[in-house]
Amino acid sequence: MLPLGKQLIVFDGGFGSELERRGLGEYIPEDLNVTHADEIRAIHRAYAEAGADVITANSFGLNRIKYKGKYPLETLVRAAVENARAAGKEVFFDVGPTGALLAPVGTLTFDEAYEAFAEIARLTSDMVGGYIVETFSDLYELKACVLALKEHSDKPVYATVTFDAGGRTLTGSTPEIVADLLEGLGVDALGVNCSLGPEELAPIVERLLNATDLPVIVQPNRGLPKLENGKTVYDLSEDEFARWMRKFVEMGVSVVGGCCGTTPAFIRRLAEWKGRAVPARNVVRRTAVCSATQRVVLEIVKVCGERLNPTGKKKLKEALSAEDYDYLVSEAIRQQEAGADLLDLNVGIPKIDEPTVMRRAVTAVQEYVDLPLQIDSSDPSAIEAGVRYYNGVPLINSVNGEEAVMERVFPIAKKYGAVVLGLTMDQNGVPRTAQARFGIAKRIVARAEKYGIPRHKVMIDTLVLTASAEQPLVMETVKALSLVQSLGVKTALGVSNVSFGLPNRPLLNKTFLAMAMTCGLNMPILNPLDGEMMGAVRAFGVLANTDAGAEKYIEAYRDFVPAQTAAAAPAAGQSAVQTEGAGDLFDCVKRGVKQGVRAAAERELAQKAPLDVVNDVLIKALEEVGAGYEKGTLFLPQLIASAEAAKEAFAVVGEHMEKTAAKKGTVVLATVRGDVHDIGKNIVKVVLESYGFEVVDLGKDTPVERVVEAAMRIQPLAVGLSALMTTTVRSMEETVRALREKGCKSKIFVGGAVLTAEIAREIGADYYTANALELVKALESLLAK
């Protein structure tokens, strides 16, 4: 048993770069477990002799979705493990991503990804000491992978993620979001690998160490890659690499190793510290929920929008009965735009399959709204369906003090790492005194801890009853808020219940909200479209000194004019993407809401010429989204959603301008030979098509000859080549050289995580672009010449 978290553990280093050094870079790495087993075993032994505690199997691409070789998966899995075992050390199975994007960004479903990883767990559980999940960049795929491994094996799971220099994954997750999710799912260690060198990873590692008290693993690249004489090389020496890694160990990292470019010599330097005691860390735990891109910490008042709960909402009930998720999405968007921090989602109406509808509702809402969700149901199976398919860490609403209810819900919260909301009631109803409600709260917290749910994962709702029937009890609710704070948990209330049955309900609601916030309310559940309620929250932030410099307040009211204070919010049920005027189509594209695009485009075309719609609406919307993406305020899912909506709009406009407007140029795209990662290429394709370019997609692992044949036959405006693996940069260079030798006159663009502008120049490409939007700008500059 490895002394995880107590003594420093050393993993091995780069494998692909070792294959390259031995002249095996042209092969599918996983096939080498059979065809060149002696060479694979020699690499494993070299790392073992260097002092590695753990040997990682040569299995990074072994899953049914990613692997496209000729051998049965089971054959390669067994061979990979046997080769690693030959080194005589603990063996972990290397689990890499599928290489495909999960829906809604891509086409792969959560269940398809889950099953691919579950198959690996079933094949290997009795063969290995554990799993190292590596180089994931999509939080949703990471969740599918970890769930599959945990549900089909009892072996340890270490999970590492790849971040960009800005501290975000490809799909926009921060180190804190990744830590929240992985810790909640019960991994044994979490951390970072690949993508960057140790110097660039230092701030990310520090954030991980501050976000979790789990053991942290760090496996950096050997600095940033360069190309010399057709080969990928790295700039860090063994001494420089070791110096940075020592800093990580001193900061409290528990597991170290290397990724691309590192060799046994590098691991030998790390092994000098084996057995060293891991320094203790004092991590401040906070109550937080998150989506894939937004984390909400409930230290100060955060608003939970209540409008996705069908109670008292006829239109929402009708929409849920008809499974009209467009209506649900439009309501979610309206609440987000009104300033909600998270959203309550309840689909509980009679005569529906609530677990199925909850799963579909969660999937639909999280496609368009990046706020965290509160999964709200009295049916534990519906709660589990929502939580399982949720991309992030949700809040579960709810449990209460009844033992049977806690027995049903707490295991779900524990398994998925959700925060859980406890109601201060039990089989006897809601107590009449604050002290009695406090007693139930203590019971809920104590039972949660017995299920392994810490206090920062628990919230308490002290339950407000209507003043019209239980006037004396309103103050008991407020008093209970103050008492509950002593338990170290956060609080919630459904605020508007207080005014039911009385006139001028908004006045009572606003006043009660102010009272409750003063006494410790962290999360009011209210209608964010109510301007006065939201105003009270914002004003409280200023007066309680939780809105530093009154920034949020000023942002909300900088254009405030007293005569307009009574301006009405949009009518209930009006879609946020069905507004009047020329902004209609703009909003659809900006938000990536495809459902309203065709109708919105037709309305624009009834008023404007097709080219004016393109230039004045579509391009401007895409530019605004692109600017947000470049600034880091929008992320890959939003970028792709907007590109897909724009693509649909361009198709509608194209029907009106086909005879008069020339199409933009053709671009041939390919992921180069030996590289099965096509996420970047697929993103580029969608964005290019949305801007009106015609794309010929040659797919992934594309032979040089096929790229050359297509380029010479089509004579496109440009050829775009993508590579994610360092070992396939050589294939890209060969492709560029072959295109030049054949006299290809098209401009050659290259991109991918391992590419830089310097490498692009060295391999003979015309352009390097870091993302799809840069490519669009460069192509349009070509057209303008």
Side-chain angles (χ1 to χ4, degrees):
M1 181 70 70
L2 297 171
L4 180 60
K6 297 179 181 178
Q7 296 178 1
L8 184 69
I9 296 172
V10 179
F11 267 63
D12 53 13
F15 211 88
S17 48
E18 284 297 284
L19 294 177
E20 184 82 18
R21 190 172 64 83
R22 293 167 183 258
L24 299 174
E26 301 297 320
Y27 297 89
I28 296 176
E30 292 73 27
D31 285 355
L32 296 172
N33 289 302
V34 172
T35 63
H36 294 71
D38 289 344
E39 294 278 9
I40 299 302
R41 292 186 179 205
I43 295 173
H44 289 319
R45 281 195 296 270
Y47 278 120
E49 291 167 1
D53 296 303
V54 179
I55 297 300
T56 305
N58 176 33
S59 55
F60 180 75
L62 283 182
N63 61 71
R64 64 167 67 170
I65 297 168
K66 187 174 184 179
Y67 176 68
K68 301 300 180 185
K70 62 182 179 180
Y71 295 98
L73 194 65
E74 185 172 358
T75 298
L76 288 179
V77 164
R78 186 165 297 279
V81 175
E82 288 176 353
N83 289 336
R85 280 178 172 174
K89 293 292 184 77
E90 182 83 86
V91 173
F92 271 43
F93 198 83
D94 189 352
V95 183
T98 62
L101 283 169
L102 268 64
V105 180
T107 58
L108 187 68
T109 69
F110 182 88
D111 288 335
E112 287 169 339
Y114 171 89
E115 185 51 40
F117 297 122
E119 180 180 27
I120 293 300
R122 289 192 292 265
L123 289 172
T124 59
S125 185
D126 62 347
M127 299 169 60
V128 298
Y131 298 92
I132 176 69
V133 176
E134 288 192 324
T135 323
F136 276 67
S137 57
D138 179 350
L139 194 77
Y140 208 27
E141 184 182 22
L142 181 64
K143 180 175 181 176
C145 179
V146 172
L147 278 176
L149 296 177
K150 298 289 288 186
E151 291 179 352
H152 292 85
S153 172
D154 60 356
K155 299 297 173 64
V157 176
Y158 296 11
T160 58
V161 174
T162 180
F163 294 92
D164 62 26
R168 293 269 184 176
T169 66
L170 178 66
T171 53
S173 302
T174 64
E176 292 79 12
I177 288 172
V178 169
D180 286 349
L181 178 85
L182 290 175
E183 184 179 85
L185 293 177
V187 301
D188 297 87
L190 61 86
V192 60
N193 80 299
C194 204
S195 70
L196 301 169
E199 181 177 2
E200 294 78 21
L201 283 179
I204 296 170
V205 172
E206 183 175 11
R207 289 171 66 179
L208 285 172
L209 289 167
N210 289 330
T212 179
D213 48 21
L214 281 182
V216 170
I217 176 172
V218 179
Q219 293 181 294
N221 287 345
R222 181 184 168 182
L224 301 178
K226 297 180 179 179
L227 201 68
E228 293 181 1
N229 300 320
K231 291 186 178 182
T232 304
V233 298
Y234 292 85
D235 56 3
L236 279 190
S237 68
E238 295 163 24
D239 287 341
E240 291 171 313
F241 187 85
R243 185 168 65 251
W244 277 104
M245 296 303 288
R246 186 178 186 88
K247 290 181 180 180
F248 294 151
V249 172
E250 293 170 348
M251 289 164 62
V253 166
S254 299
V255 186
V256 293
C259 203
C260 300
T262 57
T263 68
F266 283 73
I267 301 307
R268 184 172 288 107
R269 294 296 303 274
L270 304 187
E272 295 173 4
W273 314 322
K274 278 201 316 181
R276 174 183 175 139
V278 175
R281 309 196 320 268
N282 183 23
V283 179
V284 177
R285 306 322 310 264
R286 302 191 184 281
T287 303
V289 291
C290 66
S291 66
T293 59
Q294 299 294 327
R295 185 174 190 249
V296 173
V297 180
L298 291 150
E299 294 294 312
I300 59 176
V301 177
K302 300 293 183 180
V303 172
C304 180
E306 68 180 7
R307 293 192 57 79
L308 300 185
N309 187 320
T311 302
K313 302 179 184 69
K314 181 180 178 181
K315 287 187 177 181
L316 182 55
K317 290 179 181 178
E318 292 172 349
L320 290 171
S321 295
E323 292 202 50
D324 175 10
Y325 299 109
D326 290 353
Y327 180 87
L328 202 68
V329 167
S330 69
E331 285 295 294
I333 291 172
R334 294 176 68 210
Q335 292 183 90
Q336 177 173 268
E337 293 180 340
D341 298 295
L342 64 158
L343 302 178
D344 179 78
L345 178 60
N346 184 309
V347 299
I349 60 172
K351 299 180 181 180
I352 65 166
D353 179 354
E354 189 175 346
T356 298
V357 174
M358 177 64 84
R359 172 175 59 81
R360 292 172 179 169
V362 165
T363 302
V365 170
Q366 70 184 9
E367 179 175 354
Y368 295 104
V369 174
D370 63 353
L371 297 182
L373 297 182
Q374 174 175 267
I375 308 300
D376 184 358
S377 177
S378 59
D379 179 354
S381 60
I383 289 174
E384 179 154 21
V387 171
R388 185 176 186 84
Y389 289 91
Y390 179 65
N391 189 9
V393 177
L395 174 60
I396 290 176
N397 183 1
S398 55
V399 297
N400 58 45
E402 190 174 348
E403 189 64 33
V405 174
M406 291 189 283
E407 287 179 358
R408 290 193 296 267
V409 178
F410 277 150
I412 299 171
K414 172 60 179 174
K415 176 178 179 179
Y416 295 98
V419 179
V420 64
L421 180 61
L423 310 182
T424 53
M425 60 180 291
D426 56 19
Q427 62 274 15
N428 299 314
V430 180
R432 298 188 64 81
T433 67
Q435 197 64 45
R437 295 185 203 183
F438 178 56
I440 294 177
K442 287 195 292 185
R443 189 159 77 240
I444 291 171
V445 171
R447 291 298 289 152
E449 289 181 325
K450 287 187 177 180
Y451 279 93
I453 301 170
R455 296 194 179 206
H456 71 275
K457 290 280 190 177
V458 179
M459 298 185 68
I460 295 294
D461 185 333
T462 58
L463 294 173
V464 60
L465 303 178
T466 176
S468 62
E470 297 285 2
Q471 189 174 354
L473 301 192
V474 173
M475 286 305 297
E476 295 301 311
T477 297
V478 175
K479 292 175 185 176
L481 285 173
S482 298
L483 293 173
V484 165
Q485 289 182 85
S486 67
L487 298 175
V489 298
K490 303 306 176 187
T491 59
L493 279 177
V495 176
S496 61
N497 293 342
V498 74
S499 63
F500 186 78
L502 291 170
N504 197 359
R505 293 189 65 187
L507 177 60
L508 289 170
N509 292 342
K510 183 172 67 173
T511 304
F512 177 69
L513 173 61
M515 293 166 58
M517 289 188 293
T518 302
C519 292
L521 174 61
N522 298 106
M523 189 186 78
I525 305 171
L526 53 82
N527 176 9
L529 303 184
D530 185 327
E532 291 199 358
M533 293 290 276
M534 293 299 291
V537 172
R538 294 180 182 118
F540 180 80
V542 175
L543 302 177
N545 195 31
T546 57
D547 179 6
E551 289 183 5
K552 294 179 181 178
Y553 182 87
I554 293 170
E555 178 63 27
Y557 299 111
R558 65 173 67 253
D559 298 322
F560 175 76
V561 178
Q564 297 176 347
T565 56
Q574 179 186 350
S575 170
V577 298
Q578 298 290 323
T579 55
E580 296 291 335
D584 197 4
L585 180 59
F586 181 93
D587 288 343
C588 284
V589 173
K590 181 181 174 182
R591 299 189 184 100
V593 182
K594 291 186 289 186
Q595 290 91 339
V597 165
R598 176 163 287 273
E602 294 289 359
R603 286 194 293 273
E604 291 284 357
L605 289 164
Q607 304 174 44
K608 295 180 179 179
L611 283 175
D612 289 337
V613 174
V614 171
N615 294 323
D616 296 344
V617 182
L618 297 180
I619 297 300
K620 287 183 178 179
L622 286 169
E623 286 175 345
E624 187 165 323
V625 172
Y629 181 71
E630 291 176 355
K631 292 176 183 176
T633 57
L634 294 177
F635 307 101
L636 182 62
Q638 293 99 318
L639 178 67
I640 292 297
S642 293
E644 289 284 6
K647 181 179 175 182
E648 192 160 323
F650 276 118
V652 176
V653 175
E655 295 170 4
H656 292 257
M657 63 189 295
E658 200 165 346
K659 296 179 181 179
T660 58
K663 294 182 179 178
K664 292 182 178 179
T666 300
V667 180
V668 171
L669 293 180
T671 300
V672 298
R673 183 184 61 197
D675 203 319
V676 295
H677 301 80
D678 62 353
I679 292 176
K681 173 184 64 63
N682 293 342
I683 294 167
V684 168
K685 178 183 177 181
V686 171
V687 175
L688 286 180
E689 289 178 338
S690 75
Y691 274 85
F693 291 93
E694 184 176 350
V695 175
V696 176
D697 185 359
L698 301 182
K700 57 192 176 185
D701 192 16
T702 311
V704 174
E705 299 78 14
R706 189 174 177 214
V707 178
V708 173
E709 185 279 328
M712 300 309 294
R713 173 172 48 85
I714 298 168
Q715 296 293 314
L717 171 68
V719 176
L721 302 176
S722 173
L724 185 67
M725 299 167 60
T726 57
T727 54
T728 54
V729 174
R730 179 182 293 177
S731 293
M732 181 177 281
E733 182 180 26
E734 291 172 356
T735 306
V736 173
R737 184 166 57 248
L739 287 167
R740 298 298 190 206
E741 289 173 353
K742 284 290 185 180
C744 175
K745 293 182 172 55
S746 305
K747 295 297 183 182
I748 301 174
F749 290 76
V750 296
V754 297
L755 273 295
T756 63
E758 182 181 354
I759 291 176
R761 286 192 298 271
E762 291 180 3
I763 65 175
D766 294 304
Y767 296 90
Y768 161 75
T769 54
N771 55 57
L773 292 170
E774 280 191 14
L775 178 56
V776 168
K777 292 175 182 177
L779 290 173
E780 292 188 331
S781 295
L782 283 178
L783 289 173
K785 292 180 180 178

